[in-house]
Amino acid sequence: MALFKKRTVGKPGEWYYCLEHKKVEEGPECPAKDRIGPYASRGEAEHALEIARERNLEWETDPRWHDGAPRE
């Protein structure tokens, strides 16, 4: 008996961006290692890479987390 059951059907309203297939999916269709999310809407998931870039830049330039110069 499996300890964890694989969820075969996505949860409505959860949107993900699949990095492998470069597409938006509702509910997790692809493995977790290949996707980012969940997002509240399809539109947010469509801009997942932009959102990730913005968040990374904010983190890299946040003086509370780094004492040195931001990485390039």
Side-chain angles (χ1 to χ4, degrees):
M1 183 171 129
L3 183 58
F4 297 101
K5 293 182 180 179
K6 182 179 178 189
R7 187 163 65 168
T8 57
V9 178
K11 188 174 176 184
E14 285 185 341
W15 294 90
Y16 295 85
Y17 183 80
C18 175
L19 299 166
E20 178 73 21
H21 300 107
K22 299 184 180 19
K23 70 176 184 110
V24 172
E25 53 189 44
E26 186 174 12
E29 294 174 18
C30 293
K33 69 179 183 68
D34 295 331
R35 67 176 192 261
I36 52 178
Y39 293 93
S41 69
R42 180 178 190 86
E44 279 186 56
E46 288 172 348
H47 298 298
L49 296 179
E50 294 169 31
I51 292 169
R53 269 192 295 277
E54 290 169 4
R55 289 178 181 168
N56 287 343
L57 183 60
E58 287 176 17
W59 180 81
E60 289 174 356
T61 59
D62 188 334
R64 294 176 298 174
W65 297 103
H66 296 282
D67 293 333
R71 290 186 283 159
E72 292 182 23

